[in-house]
Amino acid sequence: LAAVHSLRTEGATNAEAGLRLGYKIAASAMKPGGVNRVILCSDGVANTGLTGAGGILDTVHREAKRGITISTIGFGMGNYNDVLMEQLADRGNGTYHYVDRLYDARRIFSESLSGTLQVIARDAKVQVEFNPAVVAAYRLIGYENRDVAGRDFRNNYVDAGEVGAGHSVTALYEIELWDKEPGAIGTVSVRYQDPDTNRVVELAREFFRREMAGRFEDADPRFQLAATVAEYAELLRHNYWARGGDLKQVADMAVLVEDRFPYDADVSEFVDLASRAYAIESGDRRYR
């Protein structure tokens, strides 16, 4: 606490120097088989020292290879560099979080600390092989900078994502089916390395058209939530594929989904964000 309270702003951010010092200290206390991690709290804007993203990312990647990972915790607004903060966590085999209120800080550093620090699956990959006889077209939503080529799915030397204790990862696909064509839609495969045994585990499962819900409202509540959040993000990014959608529809669906998660503060926060976004866009301040 004394160290934290002694911190003073100096008007500039030398992210590279801070990271090098953090890695130096982490290396001096290196514990084989333990959690060796640097935690970067920043707005991601490096304006002194080595300011180019390439050099900083190379440093983080090199340290991750020798067993020191990184978690990045983002703070700030306006010129906040979320791209760099996410890439640092990606290249450093760690996790990325954003804090904009005390609740988030408490969740990350207290309630979910084990998930922030402890990795339960290394180089986790998901691959979906669609059956062209059933699926006419598909696209992966998001993960633009995390995509792994299909030929590298079983290449253990290709870096992939890490999953922390208590964390879950969702991959969403938008698909178009051939009309009434029966059979398997495709096969989902998950591959990861056990951090304790270093053993590579691969699981696979076919899924079929009959397993799909006939209506969105009949789907699993967590699917409804994930799809609504994804549509919200696509609209905010003005994605070509989101044309025809609107924030009113997203806000209405978010309110309906909230009823399925009555005690989930994160869901309630999303409902508030979606409602406010629509209110700003439409000028209807009475919404929600």
Side-chain angles (χ1 to χ4, degrees):
L1 287 175
V4 171
H5 290 309
S6 70
L7 294 174
R8 297 291 182 271
T9 59
E10 298 177 352
T13 301
N14 192 332
E16 183 225 359
L19 283 172
R20 289 191 182 280
L21 178 59
Y23 282 121
K24 180 180 178 181
I25 295 173
S28 69
M30 187 85 169
K31 182 180 180 181
V35 177
N36 303 284
R37 175 148 323 181
V38 169
I39 299 178
L40 173 67
C41 299
S42 175
D43 62 1
V45 180
N47 49 30
T48 60
L50 182 62
T51 58
I56 297 175
L57 291 172
D58 288 343
T59 297
V60 167
H61 186 57
R62 184 169 59 250
E63 294 293 342
K65 283 188 173 182
R66 71 166 179 162
I68 302 177
T69 56
I70 186 172
S71 284
T72 57
I73 318 294
F75 294 84
M77 295 182 68
N79 63 343
Y80 174 67
N81 190 347
D82 60 328
V83 174
L84 177 61
M85 296 294 280
E86 189 272 338
Q87 288 181 342
L88 286 171
D90 179 17
R91 295 292 296 275
N93 290 352
T95 55
Y96 165 53
H97 309 270
Y98 180 74
V99 173
D100 65 351
R101 55 180 178 156
L102 184 60
Y103 165 78
D104 296 312
R106 184 178 292 114
R107 173 174 54 83
I108 295 167
F109 292 109
S110 179
E111 298 170 7
S112 304
L113 184 63
S114 60
T116 302
L117 298 179
Q118 184 178 359
V119 172
I120 61 170
R122 297 190 185 280
D123 290 329
K125 304 173 188 173
V126 176
Q127 184 178 63
V128 182
E129 296 179 89
F130 288 106
N131 178 4
V134 177
V135 178
Y138 68 89
R139 75 178 179 99
L140 175 63
I141 300 175
Y143 293 95
E144 288 89 347
N145 68 333
R146 305 299 295 271
D147 192 21
V148 175
R151 63 180 179 276
D152 291 328
F153 178 69
R154 293 184 175 85
N155 185 345
N156 296 333
Y157 295 99
V158 173
D159 188 49
E162 275 60 46
V163 180
H167 288 177
S168 62
V169 180
T170 301
L172 278 174
Y173 287 85
E174 183 177 12
I175 64 175
E176 180 182 340
L177 302 177
W178 293 113
D179 188 35
K180 298 181 180 180
E181 189 68 34
I185 292 176
T187 301
V188 178
S189 301
V190 177
R191 186 179 175 88
Y192 66 93
Q193 183 186 55
D194 187 306
D196 296 323
T197 65
N198 291 325
R199 185 171 67 94
V200 175
V201 179
E202 183 175 331
L203 307 171
R205 178 189 183 279
E206 278 190 317
F207 61 106
F208 297 84
R209 188 168 189 155
R210 63 175 180 271
E211 297 179 79
M212 299 180 68
R215 301 186 311 150
F216 179 81
E217 293 78 8
D218 297 330
D220 182 273
R222 294 217 165 267
F223 171 82
Q224 293 184 36
L225 175 62
T228 304
V229 173
E231 178 72 4
Y232 175 66
E234 295 272 83
L235 287 170
L236 290 185
R237 297 174 65 187
H238 302 289
N239 193 304
Y240 169 82
W241 300 104
R243 66 194 190 283
D246 64 79
L247 288 172
K248 172 78 164 57
Q249 183 181 36
V250 169
D252 290 344
M253 186 56 66
V255 171
L256 294 176
V257 171
E258 185 181 21
D259 292 339
R260 314 293 291 273
F261 302 92
Y263 304 108
D264 193 316
D266 291 332
V267 175
S268 297
E269 182 182 11
F270 167 65
V271 173
D272 182 59
L273 288 172
S275 301
R276 288 166 60 190
Y278 168 66
I280 292 171
E281 179 190 61
S282 65
D284 183 4
R285 304 292 180 174
R286 299 169 299 172
Y287 187 83
R288 179 71 171 150

